[in-house]
Amino acid sequence: MGRDPNLYDRHFVLVADLDFGAYPPFTDAVVAPYNAGGRGAPSVGAPFIGALDGDRHVIRNLTIEKDGGDFLGLFGVIGSGGCVQDLTLDGITIRSRGSYAGCLAGESDGMIVFCRVSGALTTGNTGGLLVGQNVGTISHSHAQGIVACVDNGSYMGGLVGVNSWGGKIVCSDAAGDVGPGVSTAGGGLAGVNHGLITCCCASGSVSGGTDIGGLVGSNSDGMIVHSCASGAVSGRYSYESNVGGLVGWNYGVVIQCYAVGSVGGKTNYGGLVGKANTSVGRVINCFWDVETSGRSRSVGGQGLTTTQMQDLQTFLAGGWDFAGERANGTSDLWGMPDSGGYPRLTFFGDSYSAPALVGVGTAPEPFQIGTPEDLGAVCHHDLRACYRLTADIDLSG
């Protein structure tokens, strides 16, 4: 499968768990290896544009080692139209001094849905535990492990290294520790965001040089919505660190997000945002914990005490959409833990059950959308399913 480009537009299903623990390391991407050429050399390789259904099986103990190699992962490049779903990668190890590396893919322009990875990644630039660079859509996916950088490289994240223009990361989370070898742009979820990040969270620690954020290192023309970060962040440069509990450097838009991790930096540090381009960077209805972060300042957002950050009324006043209320929306994005604490995205909670929809989600029997509540519930169901509007819906108010 991996070495025959004639198969890259086919559909595959994993029918058993696979364990590579007894096998020597691969020296390139397993499927769809790619070499971008450079300095006038032609590009070599073809992207995977078919589909792989993991069918909830696991690939374990895969190791890839290539000094200087680019586009490393189970897939080198997933092209537009390619899809990987319902796959778990466990105990994956990648070591390289190149660029564009991720346990699942070096680069993805396709769709990654319901995938989980755990492992250790060491690369030169643009690395993430799930994907090195994302140009497509990642949804309902998870990553945990360690992300390290050699030679003071840049653009490293707990889930993706760079979420590029057009890239979307939806309802996903990362628990990987990033750093400390990152020079520029390290984030708990993404090193750099040019696209859309919505309903995501990061809990790993992040350390590096500059543009270091608990969720995103550099939010460059991107949009971050309904997301949070709880990991400790720190920057080491004395002349300019740009360290934030959520975003290190913001020249995009951040809406209804919060951060609670500790923030350490020598210059330009903030509980939520470290530094911003004030002409284009916007922060709307966002909060950070001044006690746990150790910071009373931020370029945008509102600093609150821990008690205020764990009070439902704080967020309802900011227009946040919580389960059990309809004044701020019908999607039930957030919930307060029964035992107390900070708000949690309902996508990652154990106590929340998505509202049922009539239908089964297939083309012959699509889910039926007839009320504002039905419409809001779509985000909790499969993005690949089929839906049909069965009535006019008035969302005024």
Side-chain angles (χ1 to χ4, degrees):
M1 172 187 175
R3 287 295 180 262
D4 186 354
N6 295 314
L7 300 177
Y8 291 172
D9 62 349
R10 309 292 178 87
H11 290 218
F12 300 86
V13 61
L14 201 60
V15 297
D17 295 346
L18 304 179
D19 192 334
F20 285 88
Y23 292 84
F26 283 79
T27 57
D28 210 332
V30 181
V31 182
Y34 186 81
N35 189 320
R39 299 198 178 196
S43 300
V44 178
F48 179 79
I49 56 174
L52 173 63
D53 182 358
D55 199 23
R56 301 187 180 183
H57 285 292
V58 184
I59 295 177
R60 294 186 174 91
N61 301 316
L62 173 68
T63 297
I64 301 174
E65 295 180 345
K66 186 176 184 180
D67 188 30
D70 296 337
F71 300 98
L72 297 183
L74 177 65
F75 295 86
V77 176
I78 300 173
S80 178
C83 179
V84 180
Q85 64 185 34
D86 298 312
L87 175 66
T88 295
L89 304 180
D90 182 43
I92 308 302
T93 302
I94 297 180
R95 303 185 188 96
S96 170
R97 291 183 177 273
S99 300
Y100 304 103
C103 294
L104 182 63
E107 178 175 294
S108 176
D109 193 13
M111 177 170 279
I112 296 170
V113 191
F114 294 111
C115 290
R116 302 177 65 87
V117 302
S118 67
L121 169 70
T122 302
T123 190
N125 289 285
T126 315
L129 278 171
L130 185 74
V131 173
Q133 176 166 266
N134 177 54
V135 192
T137 296
I138 297 171
S139 77
H140 297 82
S141 294
H142 167 82
Q144 64 181 31
I146 298 172
V147 180
C149 199
V150 296
D151 301 329
N152 286 320
S154 302
Y155 318 134
M156 309 294 288
L159 190 80
V160 305
V162 174
N163 188 41
S164 195
W165 288 274
K168 302 175 184 67
I169 305 176
V170 182
C171 304
S172 298
D173 71 307
D177 294 329
V178 180
V182 181
S183 172
T184 305
L189 189 86
V192 178
N193 176 46
H194 300 298
L196 171 67
I197 293 173
T198 181
C199 299
C200 294
C201 60
S203 59
S205 64
V206 188
S207 61
T210 185
D211 301 351
I212 306 299
L215 190 80
V216 172
S218 175
N219 186 38
S220 173
D221 303 320
M223 179 173 285
I224 304 172
V225 191
H226 313 312
S227 297
C228 60
S230 59
V233 294
S234 61
R236 68 177 182 269
Y237 290 162
S238 58
Y239 56 89
E240 189 170 42
S241 289
N242 304 339
V243 182
L246 189 84
V247 176
W249 190 12
N250 179 46
Y251 39 112
V253 179
V254 182
I255 303 172
Q256 293 184 350
C257 298
Y258 77 83
V260 299
S262 63
V263 177
K266 300 189 183 227
T267 59
N268 299 336
Y269 45 79
L272 189 81
V273 176
K275 183 180 179 180
N277 183 325
T278 55
S279 63
V280 296
R282 291 194 295 157
V283 177
I284 302 169
N285 292 335
C286 296
F287 308 98
W288 83 92
D289 191 320
V290 297
E291 297 179 53
T292 57
S293 68
R295 300 299 178 186
S296 60
R297 69 168 294 277
S298 168
V299 187
Q302 182 179 359
L304 302 172
T305 66
T306 299
T307 299
Q308 291 171 316
M309 288 287 295
Q310 297 181 1
D311 184 351
L312 172 63
Q313 297 306 315
T314 295
F315 300 92
L316 292 180
W320 292 42
D321 182 1
F322 273 77
E325 61 84 30
R326 288 293 175 266
N328 296 319
T330 63
S331 291
D332 293 350
L333 300 178
W334 298 92
M336 298 300 291
D338 294 336
S339 58
Y342 301 103
R344 293 192 63 187
L345 287 161
T346 53
F347 303 98
F348 310 114
D350 297 328
S351 60
Y352 180 82
S353 296
L357 294 174
V358 175
V360 295
T362 61
E365 298 182 71
F367 289 126
Q368 298 178 30
I369 309 300
T371 68
E373 287 71 25
D374 291 341
L375 187 63
V378 169
C379 66
H380 295 281
H381 290 264
D382 195 335
L383 295 180
R384 300 159 294 178
C386 298
Y387 301 83
R388 174 176 291 141
L389 200 62
T390 60
D392 296 341
I393 297 177
D394 189 345
L395 294 174
S396 59

